[in-house]
Amino acid sequence: MPYPAVRHRRLRLTESLRVLCRETSLSPAQFILPYFAVPGKNRKVPIVSMPGVFQLSIDNLVKALDKTAALGIRSILLFGVTEKKAANACGAYEKEGIVQQALRAVKKSHPHLTVIADTCLCEYTLDGHCGIRKNGIVDNDASLPLIVRTAVSQADAGADGVAPSCMFDGMVSAIREGLDKAGHQNKFILAYSAKYASAFYGPFREAAGSGHFKDHRRDHQMDYANAREGVKEALSDVEEGADMIMVKPALAYLDIISRIRAAIDVPVAAYNVSGEYSLIVCGAKAGLVDRTAAMMETLYSIKRAGADIIITYFAEEAAEWLKNQGQ
Ligand code: PBG
């Protein structure tokens, strides 16, 4: 039936009608908040490139989690930041590594929180690469054992799940095998499956202390012109045993989220990355956009595209917004 019998605007006339007809909803339970742990005590180091985000010493991290949990956010993604760099990236997998210490403290103070450890070497290598380099390129097969070692040490320290972010071939099956051998059959793998070589990671490099990294990662992260390849990566990670998969970044890749959502059955997470965060925050500071409105619009768009889970630095702010809306 055409206009005038059909009037699409009827259902947009009041807020309660708009809410009634919403196709997509957000829940803080499906947000994951990234945290950056640093050595020391009582430290809260502002990350200049990400206003409002801090590197926290473990004592402060544990305190911050009270608010996170009170807002209904039940999962975090943990990164370690350290000055200690080494050719063999030992800081990534030693028992007293910063992430391992933080995991033990957090699981003790907040046992019900789902704690996921980012599994990568880039915060720990001399050159800031995600693996060990041979003949000028990151050597896939030589790096895998160190990634596995990192994942196992994180599981040993209490991580509920590990999130390999290095985009190495075979990383998921290697980690699964390593975890199982170490008795960690119940620890899950959230694979950064479709991770694109993106300009939007810029601010993260300061956050994670990999700012000394000057090279590009286009030899292992994906070309942003490719969509089919993203689906292929996700399918192969699921086949290797990934329990959840991730698309990263989120906003310039909503089509990839949709395609992957349609192609696989495991939960799909999208990483609303540092550049996406900082552009909104700084754009709002410059008076160009309304911070809250832009934040919520982008989070809804990521969910609408098909993400089940959103990893975002906005998690607490968005949870507060949802609470204020009575949602
Ligand atoms: C690598 C890693 C990166 C991010 C998460 N894990 C950076 C990169 O691949 O260069 C980016 C996250 C963000 O930008 O918020 N371990």
Side-chain angles (χ1 to χ4, degrees):
M1 228 188 304
Y3 169 86
V6 170
R7 285 182 186 273
H8 301 292
R9 292 180 54 186
R10 257 180 225 130
L11 298 183
R12 297 178 198 145
L13 284 176
T14 66
E15 180 62 12
S16 56
L17 260 178
R18 290 190 289 272
V19 173
L20 181 69
C21 298
R22 280 211 140 157
E23 296 175 30
T24 310
S25 58
L26 289 172
S27 159
Q30 292 183 317
F31 292 153
I32 299 178
L33 177 58
Y35 270 107
F36 300 96
V38 284
K41 279 211 166 61
N42 198 20
R43 293 180 68 201
K44 184 176 178 183
V45 187
I47 300 165
V48 178
S49 59
M50 301 174 71
V53 182
F54 299 86
Q55 298 170 336
L56 300 174
S57 54
I58 294 171
D59 50 344
N60 280 341
L61 167 59
V62 163
K63 276 186 219 151
L65 288 175
D66 290 341
K67 182 180 171 205
T68 305
L71 284 166
I73 298 159
R74 308 176 66 160
S75 305
I76 65 165
L77 176 62
L78 199 56
F79 294 92
V81 187
T82 170
E83 299 290 306
K84 187 178 165 182
K85 317 280 181 192
N88 65 358
C90 55
Y93 45 80
E94 63 196 3
K95 193 164 176 223
E96 294 308 320
I98 180 64
V99 164
Q100 288 75 6
Q101 290 184 42
L103 285 166
R104 287 193 291 272
V106 167
K107 285 310 289 184
K108 197 167 161 201
S109 64
H110 296 80
H112 299 300
L113 211 61
T114 294
V115 185
I116 306 167
D118 183 84
T119 306
C120 196
L121 305 183
C122 65
E123 289 97 348
Y124 309 95
T125 49
L126 292 170
D127 54 12
H129 270 289
C130 303
I132 303 302
R133 271 203 301 176
K134 279 191 184 158
N135 306 324
I137 65 158
V138 175
D139 189 302
N140 194 87
D141 298 6
S143 300
L144 278 182
L146 296 185
I147 295 287
V148 173
R149 205 165 154 187
T150 303
V152 171
S153 76
Q154 292 167 337
D156 285 345
D160 299 288
V162 295
S165 58
C166 50
M167 286 300 281
F168 296 160
D169 289 324
M171 65 180 188
V172 175
S173 49
I175 289 175
R176 185 71 270 157
E177 195 188 325
L179 288 177
D180 288 357
K181 266 196 198 139
H184 292 306
Q185 285 82 359
N186 289 331
K187 307 278 180 168
F188 66 84
I189 300 175
L190 164 57
Y192 285 69
S193 297
K195 178 173 177 180
Y196 287 84
S198 171
F200 292 95
Y201 307 147
F204 176 91
R205 304 262 159 92
E206 180 197 341
S210 48
H212 58 304
F213 180 76
K214 297 282 177 270
D215 213 345
H216 65 81
R217 301 201 203 280
R218 289 191 294 276
D219 59 357
H220 52 291
Q221 298 182 350
M222 290 171 51
D223 181 343
Y224 50 66
N226 297 352
R228 290 193 303 268
E229 192 188 355
V231 177
K232 193 171 81 173
E233 281 275 8
L235 286 171
S236 109
D237 280 352
V238 170
E239 215 169 79
E240 286 185 35
D243 300 284
M244 308 174 187
I245 68 97
M246 190 199 299
V247 176
K248 178 182 166 198
L251 289 182
Y253 300 89
L254 296 177
D255 57 326
I256 315 295
I257 297 174
S258 281
R259 286 198 194 207
I260 287 182
R261 173 67 293 162
I264 64 172
D265 291 328
V266 303
V268 173
Y271 200 143
N272 179 214
V273 298
S274 57
E276 299 170 346
Y277 169 85
S278 294
L279 285 177
I280 289 182
V281 169
C282 297
K285 272 200 177 137
L288 301 177
V289 288
D290 178 285
R291 173 173 172 139
T292 308
M295 164 183 78
M296 293 314 300
E297 185 176 334
T298 56
L299 293 175
Y300 271 103
S301 76
I302 296 167
K303 191 78 193 291
R304 191 192 65 229
D308 304 289
I309 298 164
I310 305 177
I311 303 165
T312 178
Y313 305 98
F314 283 125
E316 289 190 339
E317 207 173 322
E320 263 171 49
W321 184 89
L322 290 167
K323 205 164 145 188
N324 291 337
Q325 304 291 307
Q327 291 182 45

